[in-house]
Amino acid sequence: MSTLTIDNISKRYGDKIALDSLSFDVRPGELFGFVGSNGAGKTTTMRITLGVLSADSGQVLLGGKPVDLDVRRTIGYMPEERGLYPKMKVGPQLAYLAELHGLSKSDAESAVQRWTERLGISERRGDTVDALSLGNQQRVQLAAALIHDPAVLVLDEPFSGLDPVAVDVMSEVLREKAAAGVPVIFSSHQLDLVQRLCDRVGIIAAGSMKAVGTVDELRGSGDSQLEVHAPQAPAGWAGDIPGVEQLRHGNGRTVLAIKPGTDDQAVLRAALATGPVHEFSFHKPSLSDLFREAVA
């Protein structure tokens, strides 16, 4: 298996910059979470990777070589919008897509049976796609991305519309593909899921990569956070302490960002001055906190 490299990609639509010299890589056996607000450039990046769009500059590489048509046939792609024929039955449609990727008829039928069983939709093979629930349509879409045993997986919002059981099934499948050495990149707005599932995460905003690293690296790079449970403390009670920023306040709980070198005992004294303190605990920022900071 080879590394997928996004090398200095830029894309402009008129005066709007969609991607601005974007660079990152997805390594063999890695689950890479690609997160950002709507319009940040995630889908544009994925479409350029697949050759659906062309970049104004930069290149996409797999194993150090430019991604051409033959290489793209080895990529499993799951678009955010349903890329299926709604009036076509699930089984024949998946077999057709498998054959388009070069599988023989018998191999295609075997792959359809294997993946529909694995994803819990084997009983739906005779149904048309538009007769399925949104969650089952999403499972069929994932089966279409996996049907040809891809060398790379590129998934745009694969967890959208799934119930918790389906999320667990899809998570397990993605882990299995990564464990087999496949580079897996997926976008998602479910940051708690990304934090739990991914080896590394990239945060994109306005077409630029704002942060890349493991979840622990990213969480360790931000300010420490201090949660204080002081029921009588008013909003803004810690605002005058140097190196302290209030992030959230409500129901007697205040979350503060603490700069390195800040005197935490001064914070404690200020909290005690408002009344009893029931909790005073440090923790690392969550991926959601880092995301808010990066896109602000």
Side-chain angles (χ1 to χ4, degrees), residues 9 11 16-24 32-43 45 189 201-212 290-296:
I9 293 290
K11 181 69 176 179
K16 177 177 174 58
I17 298 175
L19 297 176
D20 186 11
S21 301
L22 184 73
S23 294
F24 65 96
F32 187 93
F34 193 34
V35 302
S37 301
N38 292 330
K42 304 185 300 298
T43 296
T45 302
H189 287 104
V201 177
I203 302 176
I204 184 174
S208 297
M209 193 66 86
K210 300 300 183 182
V212 181
L290 295 170
F291 176 80
R292 292 188 190 96
E293 181 178 343
V295 303

PDB file of all heavy atoms in Angstrom, residues 9 11 16-24 32-43 45 189 201-212 290-296:
ATOM      1  N   ILE A   9      -2.257  21.880  -3.411  1.00  0.00           N
ATOM      2  CA  ILE A   9      -3.413  22.025  -4.294  1.00  0.00           C
ATOM      3  C   ILE A   9      -4.076  23.389  -4.095  1.00  0.00           C
ATOM      4  O   ILE A   9      -4.342  23.813  -2.972  1.00  0.00           O
ATOM      5  CB  ILE A   9      -4.451  20.917  -4.005  1.00  0.00           C
ATOM      6  CG1 ILE A   9      -3.901  19.550  -4.390  1.00  0.00           C
ATOM      7  CG2 ILE A   9      -5.757  21.188  -4.714  1.00  0.00           C
ATOM      8  CD1 ILE A   9      -3.760  19.344  -5.868  1.00  0.00           C
ATOM      9  N   LYS A  11      -7.400  25.857  -5.822  1.00  0.00           N
ATOM     10  CA  LYS A  11      -8.558  25.887  -6.699  1.00  0.00           C
ATOM     11  C   LYS A  11      -9.321  27.173  -6.457  1.00  0.00           C
ATOM     12  O   LYS A  11      -9.583  27.543  -5.301  1.00  0.00           O
ATOM     13  CB  LYS A  11      -9.471  24.676  -6.425  1.00  0.00           C
ATOM     14  CG  LYS A  11     -10.704  24.604  -7.317  1.00  0.00           C
ATOM     15  CD  LYS A  11     -10.352  24.302  -8.761  1.00  0.00           C
ATOM     16  CE  LYS A  11     -11.596  24.140  -9.624  1.00  0.00           C
ATOM     17  NZ  LYS A  11     -11.234  23.873 -11.037  1.00  0.00           N
ATOM     18  N   LYS A  16     -13.551  33.630  -5.731  1.00  0.00           N
ATOM     19  CA  LYS A  16     -13.590  32.813  -4.509  1.00  0.00           C
ATOM     20  C   LYS A  16     -12.466  31.790  -4.519  1.00  0.00           C
ATOM     21  O   LYS A  16     -12.315  31.005  -5.464  1.00  0.00           O
ATOM     22  CB  LYS A  16     -14.940  32.096  -4.379  1.00  0.00           C
ATOM     23  CG  LYS A  16     -15.023  31.173  -3.164  1.00  0.00           C
ATOM     24  CD  LYS A  16     -16.387  30.548  -3.038  1.00  0.00           C
ATOM     25  CE  LYS A  16     -16.423  29.513  -1.922  1.00  0.00           C
ATOM     26  NZ  LYS A  16     -16.040  30.085  -0.617  1.00  0.00           N
ATOM     27  N   ILE A  17     -11.675  31.788  -3.465  1.00  0.00           N
ATOM     28  CA  ILE A  17     -10.605  30.800  -3.302  1.00  0.00           C
ATOM     29  C   ILE A  17     -11.180  29.597  -2.562  1.00  0.00           C
ATOM     30  O   ILE A  17     -11.537  29.691  -1.392  1.00  0.00           O
ATOM     31  CB  ILE A  17      -9.414  31.386  -2.525  1.00  0.00           C
ATOM     32  CG1 ILE A  17      -8.811  32.559  -3.290  1.00  0.00           C
ATOM     33  CG2 ILE A  17      -8.364  30.316  -2.264  1.00  0.00           C
ATOM     34  CD1 ILE A  17      -7.711  33.281  -2.539  1.00  0.00           C
ATOM     35  N   ALA A  18     -11.281  28.464  -3.261  1.00  0.00           N
ATOM     36  CA  ALA A  18     -11.808  27.247  -2.640  1.00  0.00           C
ATOM     37  C   ALA A  18     -10.719  26.497  -1.891  1.00  0.00           C
ATOM     38  O   ALA A  18     -10.948  25.979  -0.790  1.00  0.00           O
ATOM     39  CB  ALA A  18     -12.434  26.347  -3.703  1.00  0.00           C
ATOM     40  N   LEU A  19      -9.532  26.403  -2.473  1.00  0.00           N
ATOM     41  CA  LEU A  19      -8.379  25.758  -1.843  1.00  0.00           C
ATOM     42  C   LEU A  19      -7.157  26.642  -2.064  1.00  0.00           C
ATOM     43  O   LEU A  19      -6.927  27.141  -3.172  1.00  0.00           O
ATOM     44  CB  LEU A  19      -8.133  24.362  -2.433  1.00  0.00           C
ATOM     45  CG  LEU A  19      -9.228  23.314  -2.233  1.00  0.00           C
ATOM     46  CD1 LEU A  19      -8.870  22.030  -2.973  1.00  0.00           C
ATOM     47  CD2 LEU A  19      -9.461  23.032  -0.755  1.00  0.00           C
ATOM     48  N   ASP A  20      -6.366  26.793  -1.021  1.00  0.00           N
ATOM     49  CA  ASP A  20      -5.217  27.700  -1.070  1.00  0.00           C
ATOM     50  C   ASP A  20      -3.951  26.947  -0.663  1.00  0.00           C
ATOM     51  O   ASP A  20      -3.633  26.833   0.520  1.00  0.00           O
ATOM     52  CB  ASP A  20      -5.462  28.887  -0.137  1.00  0.00           C
ATOM     53  CG  ASP A  20      -4.374  29.955  -0.238  1.00  0.00           C
ATOM     54  OD1 ASP A  20      -3.556  29.883  -1.170  1.00  0.00           O
ATOM     55  OD2 ASP A  20      -4.360  30.854   0.619  1.00  0.00           O
ATOM     56  N   SER A  21      -3.250  26.383  -1.673  1.00  0.00           N
ATOM     57  CA  SER A  21      -1.981  25.674  -1.437  1.00  0.00           C
ATOM     58  C   SER A  21      -2.122  24.613  -0.341  1.00  0.00           C
ATOM     59  O   SER A  21      -1.330  24.548   0.596  1.00  0.00           O
ATOM     60  CB  SER A  21      -0.868  26.663  -1.071  1.00  0.00           C
ATOM     61  OG  SER A  21      -0.684  27.605  -2.107  1.00  0.00           O
ATOM     62  N   LEU A  22      -3.122  23.778  -0.475  1.00  0.00           N
ATOM     63  CA  LEU A  22      -3.435  22.754   0.529  1.00  0.00           C
ATOM     64  C   LEU A  22      -2.502  21.553   0.380  1.00  0.00           C
ATOM     65  O   LEU A  22      -2.354  21.013  -0.723  1.00  0.00           O
ATOM     66  CB  LEU A  22      -4.884  22.305   0.373  1.00  0.00           C
ATOM     67  CG  LEU A  22      -5.401  21.316   1.409  1.00  0.00           C
ATOM     68  CD1 LEU A  22      -5.607  22.021   2.749  1.00  0.00           C
ATOM     69  CD2 LEU A  22      -6.708  20.690   0.940  1.00  0.00           C
ATOM     70  N   SER A  23      -1.911  21.135   1.478  1.00  0.00           N
ATOM     71  CA  SER A  23      -1.009  19.980   1.462  1.00  0.00           C
ATOM     72  C   SER A  23      -1.209  19.133   2.716  1.00  0.00           C
ATOM     73  O   SER A  23      -1.304  19.670   3.824  1.00  0.00           O
ATOM     74  CB  SER A  23       0.460  20.415   1.404  1.00  0.00           C
ATOM     75  OG  SER A  23       0.774  21.057   0.187  1.00  0.00           O
ATOM     76  N   PHE A  24      -1.300  17.822   2.530  1.00  0.00           N
ATOM     77  CA  PHE A  24      -1.281  16.853   3.627  1.00  0.00           C
ATOM     78  C   PHE A  24      -1.148  15.473   3.007  1.00  0.00           C
ATOM     79  O   PHE A  24      -1.192  15.323   1.777  1.00  0.00           O
ATOM     80  CB  PHE A  24      -2.542  16.949   4.500  1.00  0.00           C
ATOM     81  CG  PHE A  24      -3.824  16.589   3.796  1.00  0.00           C
ATOM     82  CD1 PHE A  24      -4.358  15.303   3.887  1.00  0.00           C
ATOM     83  CD2 PHE A  24      -4.518  17.535   3.052  1.00  0.00           C
ATOM     84  CE1 PHE A  24      -5.545  14.974   3.251  1.00  0.00           C
ATOM     85  CE2 PHE A  24      -5.711  17.212   2.413  1.00  0.00           C
ATOM     86  CZ  PHE A  24      -6.220  15.920   2.509  1.00  0.00           C
ATOM     87  N   PHE A  32      -7.657   8.882   8.577  1.00  0.00           N
ATOM     88  CA  PHE A  32      -7.406  10.324   8.611  1.00  0.00           C
ATOM     89  C   PHE A  32      -8.748  11.047   8.594  1.00  0.00           C
ATOM     90  O   PHE A  32      -9.534  10.915   7.661  1.00  0.00           O
ATOM     91  CB  PHE A  32      -6.567  10.741   7.404  1.00  0.00           C
ATOM     92  CG  PHE A  32      -6.118  12.185   7.421  1.00  0.00           C
ATOM     93  CD1 PHE A  32      -4.884  12.531   7.947  1.00  0.00           C
ATOM     94  CD2 PHE A  32      -6.923  13.186   6.900  1.00  0.00           C
ATOM     95  CE1 PHE A  32      -4.462  13.856   7.960  1.00  0.00           C
ATOM     96  CE2 PHE A  32      -6.524  14.509   6.915  1.00  0.00           C
ATOM     97  CZ  PHE A  32      -5.277  14.846   7.445  1.00  0.00           C
ATOM     98  N   GLY A  33      -9.016  11.812   9.643  1.00  0.00           N
ATOM     99  CA  GLY A  33     -10.244  12.590   9.726  1.00  0.00           C
ATOM    100  C   GLY A  33     -10.037  13.975   9.151  1.00  0.00           C
ATOM    101  O   GLY A  33      -9.112  14.691   9.544  1.00  0.00           O
ATOM    102  N   PHE A  34     -10.889  14.353   8.201  1.00  0.00           N
ATOM    103  CA  PHE A  34     -10.771  15.627   7.486  1.00  0.00           C
ATOM    104  C   PHE A  34     -11.964  16.469   7.890  1.00  0.00           C
ATOM    105  O   PHE A  34     -13.098  16.193   7.478  1.00  0.00           O
ATOM    106  CB  PHE A  34     -10.764  15.326   5.984  1.00  0.00           C
ATOM    107  CG  PHE A  34     -10.339  16.459   5.104  1.00  0.00           C
ATOM    108  CD1 PHE A  34      -9.382  17.376   5.507  1.00  0.00           C
ATOM    109  CD2 PHE A  34     -10.882  16.597   3.829  1.00  0.00           C
ATOM    110  CE1 PHE A  34      -8.970  18.404   4.671  1.00  0.00           C
ATOM    111  CE2 PHE A  34     -10.487  17.606   2.978  1.00  0.00           C
ATOM    112  CZ  PHE A  34      -9.532  18.513   3.404  1.00  0.00           C
ATOM    113  N   VAL A  35     -11.757  17.484   8.726  1.00  0.00           N
ATOM    114  CA  VAL A  35     -12.877  18.220   9.313  1.00  0.00           C
ATOM    115  C   VAL A  35     -12.789  19.698   8.992  1.00  0.00           C
ATOM    116  O   VAL A  35     -11.712  20.269   8.841  1.00  0.00           O
ATOM    117  CB  VAL A  35     -12.953  17.997  10.848  1.00  0.00           C
ATOM    118  CG1 VAL A  35     -13.095  16.524  11.173  1.00  0.00           C
ATOM    119  CG2 VAL A  35     -11.737  18.570  11.559  1.00  0.00           C
ATOM    120  N   GLY A  36     -13.952  20.300   8.891  1.00  0.00           N
ATOM    121  CA  GLY A  36     -14.048  21.724   8.610  1.00  0.00           C
ATOM    122  C   GLY A  36     -15.500  22.119   8.470  1.00  0.00           C
ATOM    123  O   GLY A  36     -16.385  21.269   8.317  1.00  0.00           O
ATOM    124  N   SER A  37     -15.761  23.404   8.499  1.00  0.00           N
ATOM    125  CA  SER A  37     -17.125  23.905   8.341  1.00  0.00           C
ATOM    126  C   SER A  37     -17.611  23.671   6.911  1.00  0.00           C
ATOM    127  O   SER A  37     -16.821  23.380   6.009  1.00  0.00           O
ATOM    128  CB  SER A  37     -17.178  25.399   8.657  1.00  0.00           C
ATOM    129  OG  SER A  37     -16.734  25.662   9.977  1.00  0.00           O
ATOM    130  N   ASN A  38     -18.920  23.809   6.713  1.00  0.00           N
ATOM    131  CA  ASN A  38     -19.452  23.761   5.353  1.00  0.00           C
ATOM    132  C   ASN A  38     -18.782  24.830   4.499  1.00  0.00           C
ATOM    133  O   ASN A  38     -18.661  25.988   4.920  1.00  0.00           O
ATOM    134  CB  ASN A  38     -20.970  23.977   5.357  1.00  0.00           C
ATOM    135  CG  ASN A  38     -21.712  22.827   6.009  1.00  0.00           C
ATOM    136  OD1 ASN A  38     -21.266  21.691   5.971  1.00  0.00           O
ATOM    137  ND2 ASN A  38     -22.863  23.124   6.606  1.00  0.00           N
ATOM    138  N   GLY A  39     -18.347  24.456   3.304  1.00  0.00           N
ATOM    139  CA  GLY A  39     -17.681  25.407   2.419  1.00  0.00           C
ATOM    140  C   GLY A  39     -16.206  25.585   2.681  1.00  0.00           C
ATOM    141  O   GLY A  39     -15.552  26.417   2.045  1.00  0.00           O
ATOM    142  N   ALA A  40     -15.638  24.799   3.602  1.00  0.00           N
ATOM    143  CA  ALA A  40     -14.212  24.960   3.936  1.00  0.00           C
ATOM    144  C   ALA A  40     -13.294  24.418   2.851  1.00  0.00           C
ATOM    145  O   ALA A  40     -12.129  24.826   2.758  1.00  0.00           O
ATOM    146  CB  ALA A  40     -13.907  24.261   5.258  1.00  0.00           C
ATOM    147  N   GLY A  41     -13.786  23.467   2.031  1.00  0.00           N
ATOM    148  CA  GLY A  41     -12.963  22.918   0.961  1.00  0.00           C
ATOM    149  C   GLY A  41     -12.790  21.417   0.998  1.00  0.00           C
ATOM    150  O   GLY A  41     -12.046  20.850   0.189  1.00  0.00           O
ATOM    151  N   LYS A  42     -13.500  20.734   1.900  1.00  0.00           N
ATOM    152  CA  LYS A  42     -13.335  19.281   2.044  1.00  0.00           C
ATOM    153  C   LYS A  42     -13.765  18.531   0.778  1.00  0.00           C
ATOM    154  O   LYS A  42     -13.020  17.712   0.238  1.00  0.00           O
ATOM    155  CB  LYS A  42     -14.129  18.778   3.248  1.00  0.00           C
ATOM    156  CG  LYS A  42     -13.799  19.438   4.579  1.00  0.00           C
ATOM    157  CD  LYS A  42     -14.548  18.806   5.727  1.00  0.00           C
ATOM    158  CE  LYS A  42     -16.057  18.873   5.595  1.00  0.00           C
ATOM    159  NZ  LYS A  42     -16.575  20.269   5.568  1.00  0.00           N
ATOM    160  N   THR A  43     -14.991  18.802   0.329  1.00  0.00           N
ATOM    161  CA  THR A  43     -15.515  18.088  -0.835  1.00  0.00           C
ATOM    162  C   THR A  43     -14.728  18.432  -2.090  1.00  0.00           C
ATOM    163  O   THR A  43     -14.453  17.559  -2.929  1.00  0.00           O
ATOM    164  CB  THR A  43     -17.007  18.412  -1.026  1.00  0.00           C
ATOM    165  OG1 THR A  43     -17.736  17.926   0.113  1.00  0.00           O
ATOM    166  CG2 THR A  43     -17.559  17.749  -2.271  1.00  0.00           C
ATOM    167  N   THR A  45     -11.579  19.114  -2.239  1.00  0.00           N
ATOM    168  CA  THR A  45     -10.338  18.337  -2.151  1.00  0.00           C
ATOM    169  C   THR A  45     -10.571  16.901  -2.587  1.00  0.00           C
ATOM    170  O   THR A  45      -9.775  16.328  -3.351  1.00  0.00           O
ATOM    171  CB  THR A  45      -9.808  18.357  -0.702  1.00  0.00           C
ATOM    172  OG1 THR A  45      -9.586  19.713  -0.292  1.00  0.00           O
ATOM    173  CG2 THR A  45      -8.512  17.569  -0.590  1.00  0.00           C
ATOM    174  N   HIS A 189     -18.804  15.796  10.359  1.00  0.00           N
ATOM    175  CA  HIS A 189     -19.092  16.851  11.327  1.00  0.00           C
ATOM    176  C   HIS A 189     -19.257  16.291  12.741  1.00  0.00           C
ATOM    177  O   HIS A 189     -19.437  17.051  13.690  1.00  0.00           O
ATOM    178  CB  HIS A 189     -20.367  17.598  10.923  1.00  0.00           C
ATOM    179  CG  HIS A 189     -20.190  18.489   9.733  1.00  0.00           C
ATOM    180  ND1 HIS A 189     -20.644  18.161   8.473  1.00  0.00           N
ATOM    181  CD2 HIS A 189     -19.572  19.683   9.607  1.00  0.00           C
ATOM    182  CE1 HIS A 189     -20.337  19.125   7.633  1.00  0.00           C
ATOM    183  NE2 HIS A 189     -19.684  20.065   8.293  1.00  0.00           N
ATOM    184  N   VAL A 201      -5.789  13.809  12.326  1.00  0.00           N
ATOM    185  CA  VAL A 201      -6.883  14.694  11.945  1.00  0.00           C
ATOM    186  C   VAL A 201      -6.299  15.924  11.271  1.00  0.00           C
ATOM    187  O   VAL A 201      -5.248  16.440  11.675  1.00  0.00           O
ATOM    188  CB  VAL A 201      -7.696  15.130  13.191  1.00  0.00           C
ATOM    189  CG1 VAL A 201      -8.803  16.111  12.797  1.00  0.00           C
ATOM    190  CG2 VAL A 201      -8.300  13.917  13.896  1.00  0.00           C
ATOM    191  N   GLY A 202      -6.984  16.386  10.220  1.00  0.00           N
ATOM    192  CA  GLY A 202      -6.660  17.654   9.601  1.00  0.00           C
ATOM    193  C   GLY A 202      -7.848  18.590   9.710  1.00  0.00           C
ATOM    194  O   GLY A 202      -8.975  18.193   9.398  1.00  0.00           O
ATOM    195  N   ILE A 203      -7.611  19.821  10.161  1.00  0.00           N
ATOM    196  CA  ILE A 203      -8.673  20.822  10.293  1.00  0.00           C
ATOM    197  C   ILE A 203      -8.479  21.868   9.204  1.00  0.00           C
ATOM    198  O   ILE A 203      -7.447  22.536   9.152  1.00  0.00           O
ATOM    199  CB  ILE A 203      -8.652  21.489  11.677  1.00  0.00           C
ATOM    200  CG1 ILE A 203      -8.815  20.442  12.793  1.00  0.00           C
ATOM    201  CG2 ILE A 203      -9.758  22.536  11.781  1.00  0.00           C
ATOM    202  CD1 ILE A 203      -8.700  21.008  14.194  1.00  0.00           C
ATOM    203  N   ILE A 204      -9.475  21.993   8.325  1.00  0.00           N
ATOM    204  CA  ILE A 204      -9.399  22.921   7.203  1.00  0.00           C
ATOM    205  C   ILE A 204     -10.390  24.061   7.416  1.00  0.00           C
ATOM    206  O   ILE A 204     -11.491  23.857   7.923  1.00  0.00           O
ATOM    207  CB  ILE A 204      -9.678  22.185   5.865  1.00  0.00           C
ATOM    208  CG1 ILE A 204      -9.501  23.124   4.675  1.00  0.00           C
ATOM    209  CG2 ILE A 204     -11.045  21.527   5.856  1.00  0.00           C
ATOM    210  CD1 ILE A 204      -9.629  22.426   3.325  1.00  0.00           C
ATOM    211  N   ALA A 205      -9.969  25.267   7.051  1.00  0.00           N
ATOM    212  CA  ALA A 205     -10.841  26.441   7.126  1.00  0.00           C
ATOM    213  C   ALA A 205     -10.475  27.368   5.978  1.00  0.00           C
ATOM    214  O   ALA A 205      -9.291  27.626   5.732  1.00  0.00           O
ATOM    215  CB  ALA A 205     -10.696  27.161   8.458  1.00  0.00           C
ATOM    216  N   ALA A 206     -11.488  27.824   5.246  1.00  0.00           N
ATOM    217  CA  ALA A 206     -11.294  28.753   4.130  1.00  0.00           C
ATOM    218  C   ALA A 206     -10.245  28.248   3.143  1.00  0.00           C
ATOM    219  O   ALA A 206      -9.442  29.016   2.624  1.00  0.00           O
ATOM    220  CB  ALA A 206     -10.914  30.138   4.652  1.00  0.00           C
ATOM    221  N   GLY A 207     -10.247  26.928   2.902  1.00  0.00           N
ATOM    222  CA  GLY A 207      -9.371  26.356   1.894  1.00  0.00           C
ATOM    223  C   GLY A 207      -7.943  26.119   2.329  1.00  0.00           C
ATOM    224  O   GLY A 207      -7.117  25.669   1.525  1.00  0.00           O
ATOM    225  N   SER A 208      -7.622  26.388   3.590  1.00  0.00           N
ATOM    226  CA  SER A 208      -6.264  26.198   4.101  1.00  0.00           C
ATOM    227  C   SER A 208      -6.269  25.227   5.274  1.00  0.00           C
ATOM    228  O   SER A 208      -7.213  25.234   6.081  1.00  0.00           O
ATOM    229  CB  SER A 208      -5.661  27.535   4.562  1.00  0.00           C
ATOM    230  OG  SER A 208      -5.530  28.433   3.479  1.00  0.00           O
ATOM    231  N   MET A 209      -5.229  24.422   5.373  1.00  0.00           N
ATOM    232  CA  MET A 209      -5.117  23.503   6.491  1.00  0.00           C
ATOM    233  C   MET A 209      -4.598  24.265   7.707  1.00  0.00           C
ATOM    234  O   MET A 209      -3.510  24.825   7.694  1.00  0.00           O
ATOM    235  CB  MET A 209      -4.175  22.347   6.140  1.00  0.00           C
ATOM    236  CG  MET A 209      -4.246  21.194   7.107  1.00  0.00           C
ATOM    237  SD  MET A 209      -5.839  20.335   7.072  1.00  0.00           S
ATOM    238  CE  MET A 209      -5.567  19.165   5.739  1.00  0.00           C
ATOM    239  N   LYS A 210      -5.400  24.280   8.764  1.00  0.00           N
ATOM    240  CA  LYS A 210      -5.054  25.041   9.954  1.00  0.00           C
ATOM    241  C   LYS A 210      -4.289  24.213  10.979  1.00  0.00           C
ATOM    242  O   LYS A 210      -3.526  24.762  11.773  1.00  0.00           O
ATOM    243  CB  LYS A 210      -6.322  25.596  10.604  1.00  0.00           C
ATOM    244  CG  LYS A 210      -7.128  26.513   9.699  1.00  0.00           C
ATOM    245  CD  LYS A 210      -6.321  27.716   9.258  1.00  0.00           C
ATOM    246  CE  LYS A 210      -7.156  28.662   8.409  1.00  0.00           C
ATOM    247  NZ  LYS A 210      -6.367  29.818   7.923  1.00  0.00           N
ATOM    248  N   ALA A 211      -4.505  22.902  10.982  1.00  0.00           N
ATOM    249  CA  ALA A 211      -3.810  22.047  11.945  1.00  0.00           C
ATOM    250  C   ALA A 211      -3.877  20.611  11.444  1.00  0.00           C
ATOM    251  O   ALA A 211      -4.893  20.178  10.909  1.00  0.00           O
ATOM    252  CB  ALA A 211      -4.460  22.145  13.326  1.00  0.00           C
ATOM    253  N   VAL A 212      -2.773  19.871  11.614  1.00  0.00           N
ATOM    254  CA  VAL A 212      -2.709  18.455  11.266  1.00  0.00           C
ATOM    255  C   VAL A 212      -1.919  17.741  12.351  1.00  0.00           C
ATOM    256  O   VAL A 212      -0.881  18.225  12.798  1.00  0.00           O
ATOM    257  CB  VAL A 212      -2.019  18.211   9.906  1.00  0.00           C
ATOM    258  CG1 VAL A 212      -1.994  16.712   9.580  1.00  0.00           C
ATOM    259  CG2 VAL A 212      -2.706  18.966   8.792  1.00  0.00           C
ATOM    260  N   LEU A 290     -10.829  22.594  19.720  1.00  0.00           N
ATOM    261  CA  LEU A 290      -9.766  22.939  18.781  1.00  0.00           C
ATOM    262  C   LEU A 290     -10.352  23.394  17.438  1.00  0.00           C
ATOM    263  O   LEU A 290      -9.855  24.315  16.805  1.00  0.00           O
ATOM    264  CB  LEU A 290      -8.843  21.747  18.572  1.00  0.00           C
ATOM    265  CG  LEU A 290      -8.047  21.307  19.803  1.00  0.00           C
ATOM    266  CD1 LEU A 290      -7.373  19.973  19.542  1.00  0.00           C
ATOM    267  CD2 LEU A 290      -7.007  22.367  20.172  1.00  0.00           C
ATOM    268  N   PHE A 291     -11.424  22.705  17.022  1.00  0.00           N
ATOM    269  CA  PHE A 291     -12.077  23.056  15.767  1.00  0.00           C
ATOM    270  C   PHE A 291     -12.625  24.483  15.841  1.00  0.00           C
ATOM    271  O   PHE A 291     -12.425  25.279  14.919  1.00  0.00           O
ATOM    272  CB  PHE A 291     -13.197  22.066  15.496  1.00  0.00           C
ATOM    273  CG  PHE A 291     -14.013  22.355  14.288  1.00  0.00           C
ATOM    274  CD1 PHE A 291     -13.568  22.008  13.022  1.00  0.00           C
ATOM    275  CD2 PHE A 291     -15.242  22.995  14.399  1.00  0.00           C
ATOM    276  CE1 PHE A 291     -14.326  22.306  11.896  1.00  0.00           C
ATOM    277  CE2 PHE A 291     -16.006  23.287  13.286  1.00  0.00           C
ATOM    278  CZ  PHE A 291     -15.546  22.933  12.032  1.00  0.00           C
ATOM    279  N   ARG A 292     -13.315  24.807  16.933  1.00  0.00           N
ATOM    280  CA  ARG A 292     -13.860  26.156  17.083  1.00  0.00           C
ATOM    281  C   ARG A 292     -12.750  27.200  17.014  1.00  0.00           C
ATOM    282  O   ARG A 292     -12.898  28.261  16.390  1.00  0.00           O
ATOM    283  CB  ARG A 292     -14.616  26.284  18.393  1.00  0.00           C
ATOM    284  CG  ARG A 292     -15.899  25.467  18.478  1.00  0.00           C
ATOM    285  CD  ARG A 292     -16.675  25.806  19.731  1.00  0.00           C
ATOM    286  NE  ARG A 292     -17.767  24.886  19.957  1.00  0.00           N
ATOM    287  CZ  ARG A 292     -17.708  23.821  20.755  1.00  0.00           C
ATOM    288  NH1 ARG A 292     -16.584  23.573  21.435  1.00  0.00           N
ATOM    289  NH2 ARG A 292     -18.731  23.025  20.893  1.00  0.00           N
ATOM    290  N   GLU A 293     -11.637  26.908  17.664  1.00  0.00           N
ATOM    291  CA  GLU A 293     -10.518  27.857  17.685  1.00  0.00           C
ATOM    292  C   GLU A 293      -9.912  28.013  16.292  1.00  0.00           C
ATOM    293  O   GLU A 293      -9.572  29.115  15.864  1.00  0.00           O
ATOM    294  CB  GLU A 293      -9.442  27.361  18.660  1.00  0.00           C
ATOM    295  CG  GLU A 293      -8.250  28.294  18.783  1.00  0.00           C
ATOM    296  CD  GLU A 293      -7.228  27.782  19.794  1.00  0.00           C
ATOM    297  OE1 GLU A 293      -7.583  26.917  20.598  1.00  0.00           O
ATOM    298  OE2 GLU A 293      -6.083  28.249  19.750  1.00  0.00           O
ATOM    299  N   ALA A 294      -9.787  26.890  15.553  1.00  0.00           N
ATOM    300  CA  ALA A 294      -9.135  26.929  14.240  1.00  0.00           C
ATOM    301  C   ALA A 294      -9.951  27.674  13.206  1.00  0.00           C
ATOM    302  O   ALA A 294      -9.408  28.352  12.333  1.00  0.00           O
ATOM    303  CB  ALA A 294      -8.858  25.500  13.761  1.00  0.00           C
ATOM    304  N   VAL A 295     -11.281  27.539  13.286  1.00  0.00           N
ATOM    305  CA  VAL A 295     -12.129  28.157  12.259  1.00  0.00           C
ATOM    306  C   VAL A 295     -12.618  29.542  12.648  1.00  0.00           C
ATOM    307  O   VAL A 295     -13.267  30.220  11.842  1.00  0.00           O
ATOM    308  CB  VAL A 295     -13.342  27.259  11.925  1.00  0.00           C
ATOM    309  CG1 VAL A 295     -12.878  25.881  11.475  1.00  0.00           C
ATOM    310  CG2 VAL A 295     -14.296  27.148  13.105  1.00  0.00           C
ATOM    311  N   ALA A 296     -12.310  29.958  13.879  1.00  0.00           N
ATOM    312  CA  ALA A 296     -12.776  31.281  14.327  1.00  0.00           C
ATOM    313  C   ALA A 296     -12.114  32.375  13.498  1.00  0.00           C
ATOM    314  O   ALA A 296     -10.953  32.315  13.164  1.00  0.00           O
ATOM    315  CB  ALA A 296     -12.433  31.472  15.808  1.00  0.00           C
TER     316      ALA A 296
END
